[in-house]
Amino acid sequence: MSGLSVTVVGVGADGWDGLSPAARQAISGAAVLRGSARQLGLVPPDVVAERVPWPSPMGPALADLPAAHPGRRVVVLASGDPMLSGVGTSLVRLFGADAVEVVPHPSSVTLACARLGWAVEETTVVSVVGRPVSLVLPHATPGRRLLVLGSDTRTPAELAALLAGSGSGASRLTALAQLGGPAERRFTGTAAGWPHPETDPLVLTAVEVVADPGAVPLPTVPGLPDDAYSSDGQLTKRDVRAVTLSRLAPLPGQLLWDVGAGAGSIGIEWMRVHPSCRAVAVESDPVRAQRIGRNAERLGVPDLQVVEGEAPAALLGLPQPDAVFVGGGATTPLLLDTVWEVLAPGGRLVVNAVTVESEAVLAEWHGRCGGSLTRLSVAQAQPVGGFTGWKPAMPVTIWSVTR
């Protein structure tokens, strides 16, 4: 960052008139202004700085700022609060907090809560800027209030369709456009009856989630119903899945490897625990690998990374995990050796087995590395003639250990 001074100034829909004295002073003292064409057009002509619009895509130009403007004072214009899903966050990530001065403007979230009378601390903010709108799904539980930051004029309609298709068609939506500016306006409706195919490029959508009669919302705790997944039968069943994830112990920001992912249920439910949880699903069967992606999209974790290939070779080059689950293939040569070696101290390994041969492997590893061995037997009540009896599933042996 040597030789480059960067200040990020948040600008609202009210433009220059809505800026604080500190924000105006920062812009007036710039040698170079960077921003979108719209943002640059909000600055009065008597500000003599060179104006350079961002190219598309914008990311490489951010990283190139030191080389593009050596020794010059650069002011980057941002929409609203630069540190709320904004360019300020990207610049700090690239160059460090000490290299970036931020002059914020009230965010669209603050303005929306003020307009709606919502408490900010009781409102969940979800950004789908440049990301799939399905990210909203894990948050869309009855009674919650959401503010969804969108990418374009179609985001409210896409959100409405998503909610209507997932059993929340009665949810109330308010799309707030041009917040704080002279053209501020709102669009309202229910998810099922949303009448606005397009709204405004500067739009935020407020959602009051209401479940349709008879709809059964899915929780974020592990153990979703088996029929929540599309599968060919290669699925860690609900009760075993809940116990397995309790051993994996998902924590915010951590990464899971789901090896031999099948339908992807372990990785998907790991990610549903918290928006920052990440997972890689490794699956050798191409049909199953594609199915995992569809399951992840439908259950609100479209960022699940799916790697098609045979483990352990397919694990090479993946980022280091905080936890690893092996749902099948414990007898595969060098598989457990590979995942054990890649774990850092404190990393968790959980392996499930249903065959005598794989149980023997787990017993050997348990003797070498410790941890716990648990045999889980589950039986479901089913009709037997005119009565009810228990139908047991195959018992599952679970080895769990912390490195």
Side-chain angles (χ1 to χ4, degrees), residues 147-303:
L147 291 178
V148 181
L149 309 179
S151 295
D152 54 40
T153 62
R154 296 181 296 276
T155 298
E158 293 173 359
L159 177 60
L162 177 76
L163 293 170
S166 59
S168 299
S171 299
R172 297 179 290 274
L173 274 64
T174 303
L176 299 165
Q178 300 284 338
L179 277 166
E184 179 176 324
R185 62 194 187 281
R186 63 176 63 192
F187 307 81
T188 61
T190 64
W194 187 252
H196 313 287
E198 296 197 35
T199 52
D200 187 277
L202 293 178
V203 68
L204 174 151
T205 309
V207 182
E208 296 176 276
V209 183
V210 180
D212 296 333
V216 180
L218 296 178
T220 55
V221 296
L224 297 184
D226 292 342
D227 61 10
Y229 296 93
S230 172
S231 81
D232 58 3
Q234 194 71 16
L235 172 72
T236 302
K237 299 302 189 290
R238 181 180 194 172
D239 299 293
V240 175
R241 193 185 324 128
V243 173
T244 298
L245 279 153
S246 74
R247 302 292 201 274
L248 288 167
L251 293 172
Q254 292 197 336
L255 173 67
L256 169 76
W257 285 1
D258 181 2
V259 182
S265 61
I266 296 293
I268 288 170
E269 294 191 24
W270 168 284
M271 291 183 68
R272 284 176 59 89
V273 167
H274 191 271
S276 65
C277 287
R278 299 165 293 132
V280 179
V282 181
E283 174 55 53
S284 60
D285 184 278
V287 175
R288 288 175 181 163
Q290 292 180 5
R291 187 183 293 122
I292 291 169
R294 295 194 296 271
N295 282 334
E297 176 79 26
R298 191 176 63 254
L299 291 169
V301 288
D303 292 335

